[in-house]
Amino acid sequence: MHVLAQDKVADTRFGCAPFTRITLLPDALWQDSLTEGLLNAIRPLLASPVSENVLIDVTEINDTVLALLLRFLFNQAYTLNDLQLKKTDATATRIRHITAFCQPEQYEKREKMFRQQQAIANGMVAARRLADTPSDCCTPQFVVNEAQTLCASFPALHCEVLDEQQIVEQGLGLLHAVGKGATCPPRLLAIHYNGISDGPVRCYIGKGITFDTGGLWLKEGAGMYTMKYDMCGAANVLGLLLTVAELKLPVRIMGVLALAENAIGPNAMQPGSVARACNGMTVEINNTDAEGRLVLADAIAWTSQRQPQARYIIDMATLTGAVVKALGYELSGLMTQDDALRQALTEAGRQSGDEVWSLPLDARLKKQTESAIADLCNTPTNNAAISASAAWLLHHFCPSDIPWAHLDISGTALWRENGRSVASGRPIPLLVEHLLEDIA
């Protein structure tokens, strides 16, 4: 084997038996928690693995980098080919077993991390598979069915579903407005986890637009191509609950998935129409392509009514392209007025390697949501501060005595490589780390 310079990867396909391939990676990569350098070096090696077994030395590695590495390896359990929509080579090698080497005194800590990261990856895989499913199949009811099937494996999970009639009856006029133009009607799915019999309920809400045409504010074709992924927030809430159930965490959680297809048609919501949320507030819909904040607003209000003593409410959504312009593809946007929740989520992001960056959220954004005809409008007419103004609208739907945070995951919900996008499963690692710290 030819060993390259100190900062280069050394790789051979002619390893000594029983090894098929041996790769040496620079020491600096094992300590780099910022740029995912280790994953970037390993990713091409696993694109076409030569063995089902991976052996890694985790003796000298940063804890955050190890968490990233383990999640990456465990996520190899799923690829797009598993959707069985493409003819593939069934005999192709897949990673099926991971062995790690460490010092005896490291074993207990490493074993615990392996167990947690595998559970996190399992939740991510469930979310990724659901999000990757084409939208002609992945309708609101399909998401409900998949969630019920997956949750049935865990006695601590149970599902509650509102159909389109119940959505109207319970006053969720914003969710109804978004979904009424589609032939596939909207759903509200609540997943309850009771790992203990009593205690505060932690609430997570996900935007579940199973396909987003933009409605009558129609997107151009290029902007519509990846819109099956506009339900990643909802998929990630499901994945989070599955992870929590697998880890059997001693906590109570309610996850709410606001599911609708934003379609065009005779019954589609019209620009300038006004809809009423379940908390009584009215919203002027001056842009039908700003539908995500509408379904989230109703879901936040509904959740706060069901759980008035909630420990916190965290929503997540592929909400705005503006957050990508601000933060790129590596950071999720965090918007909250609760300093303790902001600090806790930020630190959990650092520890997990699934980071967030806080954007401002205060009364200076008030004019961005003012309407002459309704309590609020859903987009600012000056096209400024799009991400923060969306969060400012949402904060009206959570009572001030419940800590609330909004995560805009438009940049992080997808993994982009070679001009292609697939679901990433983020921010499930962030939320699990935050939850573990919160109940510690």
Side-chain angles (χ1 to χ4, degrees):
M1 177 177 65
H2 175 61
V3 180
L4 303 180
Q6 188 174 4
D7 61 343
K8 302 294 184 182
V9 173
D11 180 53
T12 177
R13 292 284 292 270
F14 304 95
C16 302
F19 305 112
T20 307
R21 181 178 202 160
I22 298 176
T23 305
L24 302 178
L25 300 168
D27 289 343
L29 295 182
W30 299 84
Q31 306 301 322
D32 178 10
S33 62
L34 188 63
T35 68
E36 295 191 358
L38 184 63
L39 303 191
N40 292 333
I42 292 176
R43 187 171 281 109
L45 304 179
L46 297 188
S48 300
V50 296
S51 172
E52 294 183 350
N53 300 287
V54 172
L55 288 74
I56 55 175
D57 184 345
V58 296
T59 305
E60 298 290 339
I61 185 172
N62 175 280
D63 283 350
T64 300
V65 177
L66 178 57
L68 287 165
L69 174 62
L70 293 178
R71 289 198 302 269
F72 171 73
L73 292 174
F74 288 130
N75 264 278
Q76 301 305 306
Y78 162 76
T79 70
L80 283 179
N81 292 338
D82 295 330
L83 297 177
Q84 298 182 339
L85 300 174
K86 179 181 180 181
K87 291 182 180 179
T88 58
D89 180 5
T91 65
T93 302
R94 296 277 293 269
I95 300 299
R96 301 187 186 280
H97 191 269
I98 302 168
T99 300
F101 298 98
C102 67
Q103 296 294 329
E105 63 271 16
Q106 296 175 307
Y107 179 82
E108 184 176 351
K109 181 179 179 181
R110 294 290 193 247
E111 191 276 336
K112 180 179 179 181
M113 180 174 285
F114 262 69
R115 181 175 61 86
Q116 288 181 347
Q117 297 307 319
Q118 184 163 26
I120 292 170
N122 290 342
M124 294 171 73
V125 164
R128 290 171 57 213
R129 183 191 296 269
L130 186 59
D132 285 333
T133 301
S135 56
D136 61 332
C137 174
C138 188
T139 65
Q141 185 59 49
F142 178 89
V143 175
V144 169
N145 295 342
E146 288 294 295
Q148 290 174 326
T149 299
L150 292 168
C151 291
S153 300
F154 299 98
L157 293 175
H158 73 276
C159 296
E160 173 188 4
V161 185
L162 301 187
D163 63 19
E164 67 269 37
Q165 182 177 344
Q166 292 167 313
I167 286 170
V168 172
E169 290 173 349
Q170 296 196 24
L172 285 87
L174 304 184
L175 177 57
H176 169 70
V178 173
K180 66 188 179 73
T183 56
C184 303
R187 295 287 185 265
L188 189 78
L189 170 63
I191 306 173
H192 302 271
Y193 170 77
N194 292 305
I196 51 176
S197 59
D198 196 17
V201 178
R202 293 159 170 86
C203 300
Y204 301 89
I205 298 171
K207 171 189 172 183
I209 302 299
T210 55
F211 192 77
D212 182 17
T213 66
L216 294 180
W217 201 291
L218 190 66
K219 297 178 184 287
E220 61 179 24
M224 211 184 296
Y225 178 68
T226 59
M227 284 301 106
K228 72 175 183 179
Y229 290 114
D230 216 13
M231 44 71 72
C232 281
N236 290 334
V237 169
L238 171 60
L240 172 65
L241 269 291
L242 294 172
T243 292
V244 169
E246 182 176 343
L247 292 174
K248 298 180 180 179
L249 297 183
V251 67
R252 298 174 68 207
I253 292 177
M254 183 166 81
V256 177
L257 287 64
L259 302 163
E261 180 181 335
N262 187 22
I264 57 174
N267 296 321
M269 58 180 173
Q270 300 170 339
S273 58
V274 175
R276 188 181 300 274
C278 65
N279 68 346
M281 297 196 73
T282 57
V283 180
E284 179 187 4
I285 303 168
N286 55 358
N287 183 340
T288 65
D289 194 23
E291 83 299 327
R293 66 202 69 183
L294 299 177
V295 302
L296 284 176
D298 246 345
I300 291 169
W302 185 84
T303 300
S304 66
Q305 292 170 358
R306 292 288 303 274
Q307 302 293 343
Q309 304 300 317
R311 176 160 174 79
Y312 54 70
I313 295 176
I314 298 173
D315 76 73
M316 65 205 78
T318 49
L319 205 63
T320 67
V323 81
V324 180
K325 295 182 183 300
L327 301 177
Y329 297 113
E330 307 302 326
L331 296 162
S332 297
L334 166 63
M335 282 145 275
T336 181
Q337 292 184 311
D338 188 282
D339 289 338
L341 191 53
R342 177 188 293 107
Q343 182 176 351
L345 285 168
T346 301
E347 182 58 28
R350 293 194 188 101
Q351 294 296 324
S352 65
D354 186 4
E355 292 197 57
V356 298
W357 197 268
S358 185
L359 295 174
L361 184 66
D362 57 45
R364 285 173 288 190
L365 295 163
K366 183 177 180 181
K367 290 186 177 181
Q368 301 298 95
T369 58
E370 288 182 344
S371 167
I373 195 172
D375 296 321
L376 301 161
C377 71
N378 72 328
T379 55
T381 56
N382 60 9
N383 204 35
I386 298 295
S387 300
S389 63
W392 180 254
L393 180 140
L394 292 176
H395 103 279
H396 291 84
F397 296 86
C398 186
S400 59
D401 57 346
I402 299 178
W404 163 80
H406 165 63
L407 295 173
D408 193 330
I409 59 172
S410 290
T412 55
L414 300 183
W415 165 252
R416 300 163 176 86
E417 187 175 31
N418 299 325
R420 301 169 62 185
S421 298
V422 294
S424 71
R426 293 179 64 186
I428 294 174
L430 160 75
L431 297 172
V432 174
E433 179 67 28
H434 172 253
L435 185 57
L436 289 170
E437 292 298 322
D438 195 53
I439 64 177

